[in-house]
Amino acid sequence: MLPPRPTSSLVPTLLVTLLLTACGSTPDPSPPSDAGSDASTALPWSRDAIPKLPQDDVLRVHHLQAKGTHNSTHIETPGNTLADWDYTMAPLDVQLGEQGVRQIELDLHLASLESPFEVLHLKTIDPLTTCLALRDCLTLIATWSGAHPGHLPIYLQFEAKNGYTPEDPEGYFAKLDAEILTVLAKERLITPDEVQGDAATLGEAVASKGWPTLATTRGRIILGFDNGSELREAYSRGGTSLKGRLFFTESAPGSATAAMTVLNGPVSDAKAIQAALAANMLVRTMSDEPTEDDAQAQAGLLAALMVGATWISTNYPAKVEERSYFATIPGGTPARCNPVTAPASCTAKDIEDLSP
């Protein structure tokens, strides 16, 4: 399946990527002109611009259920024969707007600490992407967010594909933080410190109070690592604390950092998802795989909806020619009141107001 015709703004980038990839290189992912080179030039953002809905002081982030995307910048390589890679995503701002996506997954590649971060699936055999430079991807997200300040929190899930080394974890983390803050003002990020407040641990705060209310989180962004093992242990200081960090990490109920987790099997992981939700954690799961037929994918979506996962990540956020299946949230909204965690007072009109 060939990728759909890209929007005019992406045509030059994609053509250059295709040509240079064929020659064994990739384009220089220089930052966009409005991203700047230091945190002082982050795109404008203000809490004062965020509209408030009637139940924003009641509803909390863990009371919602929203659609997300898997490998959110992926473009199928022409001539691909692998069913696993048989999907193409729209640009990130189109996903956030027309497709109602509120969770995005970004695969990170870093050649060296002197190079910029790149976003793509696999560099040599599945390299096509709607935005190569991390700063370009973040700028698309931040610009859409700024134009629609009433949106629910957007969760950006990062997977470090390469470039992270156990020998210098703090160098990697510091570089990633700095690059993110060139685009996103820290005030628009929902950080572990904010969620923890004055509780002894982040996990204790979430278990006892839950996530913050929509009154304080609308128009903002959550960052999280999908990586386990070495990276997670280094970032969370052995699973003890995320103090001063920008990212949340995948955790288990009862742990010091238990705020969110990734459990991609809505059926096989159902008990674990239920346990995480009972601890007020946010849960990302998957609804479908490109290898599944439409009936299997629909069954996976239904299971994810019913089990109450916070974000349901799909390879098909919108209709494609070859399939009848695509993921939707019941009611046609970008999100809904979570059927497992939301209070009875929650209604569809409490979710979002994206009017200017």
Side-chain angles (χ1 to χ4, degrees):
M1 180 180 74
L2 290 175
R5 184 180 181 87
T7 60
S8 58
S9 63
L10 287 172
V11 168
T13 299
L14 296 183
L15 287 177
V16 170
T17 302
L18 280 166
L19 291 171
L20 293 182
T21 299
C23 298
S25 60
T26 53
D28 174 27
S30 54
S33 58
D34 56 352
S37 58
D38 58 60
S40 64
T41 56
L43 296 183
W45 181 84
S46 171
R47 286 179 186 266
D48 296 335
I50 297 173
K52 185 175 178 180
L53 296 184
Q55 291 220 66
D56 275 6
D57 288 320
V58 175
L59 297 180
R60 296 178 177 271
V61 180
H62 65 278
H63 292 150
L64 305 172
Q65 185 175 67
K67 179 166 64 174
T69 50
H70 170 239
N71 287 346
S72 303
T73 70
H74 183 262
I75 295 175
E76 186 182 11
T77 303
N80 167 56
T81 59
L82 297 177
D84 279 338
W85 301 343
D86 182 14
Y87 61 96
T88 289
M89 295 294 179
L92 296 177
D93 52 347
V94 174
Q95 292 183 44
L96 293 168
E98 296 175 16
Q99 298 178 0
V101 167
R102 295 295 176 269
Q103 173 260 307
I104 284 169
E105 183 180 40
L106 302 175
D107 288 343
L108 290 177
H109 295 256
L110 184 67
S112 71
L113 291 180
E114 289 70 45
S115 304
F117 280 94
E118 296 179 342
V119 176
L120 66 151
H121 186 216
L122 298 172
K123 197 141 194 165
T124 56
I125 54 178
D126 196 29
L128 299 188
T129 177
T130 60
C131 52
L132 182 61
L134 173 60
R135 280 173 282 193
D136 287 346
C137 300
L138 295 176
T139 298
L140 281 172
I141 295 165
T143 301
W144 183 90
S145 170
H148 304 86
H151 68 77
L152 297 175
I154 298 168
Y155 171 47
L156 304 185
Q157 180 169 293
F158 290 77
E159 181 179 356
K161 288 285 192 181
N162 60 43
Y164 170 80
T165 59
E167 292 75 26
D168 185 16
E170 292 303 324
Y172 181 94
F173 300 146
K175 179 175 176 58
L176 181 56
D177 283 1
E179 196 155 315
I180 287 170
L181 293 174
T182 63
V183 181
L184 301 175
K186 188 174 182 181
E187 292 76 16
R188 78 190 301 170
L189 300 178
I190 304 168
T191 64
D193 285 344
E194 178 180 350
V195 177
Q196 180 173 337
D198 58 3
T201 69
L202 175 61
E204 179 183 301
V206 170
S208 61
K209 297 186 299 183
W211 276 71
T213 64
L214 297 186
T216 62
T217 57
R218 279 199 187 279
R220 300 175 70 194
I221 293 170
I222 303 169
L223 307 178
F225 277 122
D226 184 19
N227 298 80
S229 70
E230 290 180 344
L231 185 148
R232 179 180 61 192
E233 291 302 296
Y235 196 78
S236 65
R237 305 174 180 97
T240 63
S241 172
L242 293 173
K243 183 176 176 59
R245 300 297 203 188
L246 298 184
F247 285 72
F248 295 85
T249 57
E250 185 206 0
S251 305
S255 71
T257 58
M260 58 82 64
T261 192
V262 180
L263 295 164
N264 287 329
V267 176
S268 60
D269 292 327
K271 288 185 177 180
I273 292 172
Q274 291 165 353
L277 294 176
N280 297 327
M281 296 173 67
L282 306 182
V283 179
R284 186 263 201 172
T285 197
M286 289 281 295
S287 58
D288 53 73
E289 297 288 348
T291 53
E292 297 174 334
D293 62 28
D294 288 337
Q296 291 171 316
Q298 190 65 45
L301 174 61
L302 180 60
L305 290 165
M306 292 179 63
V307 79
T310 316
W311 298 292
I312 301 172
S313 191
T314 178
N315 294 284
Y316 304 102
K319 183 75 174 68
V320 295
E321 184 177 344
E322 297 80 4
R323 306 191 67 140
S324 62
Y325 166 83
F326 63 98
T328 60
I329 299 297
T333 60
R336 68 171 180 170
C337 303
N338 191 303
V340 175
T341 62
S345 62
C346 182
T347 67
K349 69 178 186 299
D350 299 313
I351 303 301
E352 277 190 339
D353 179 4
L354 298 185
S355 58

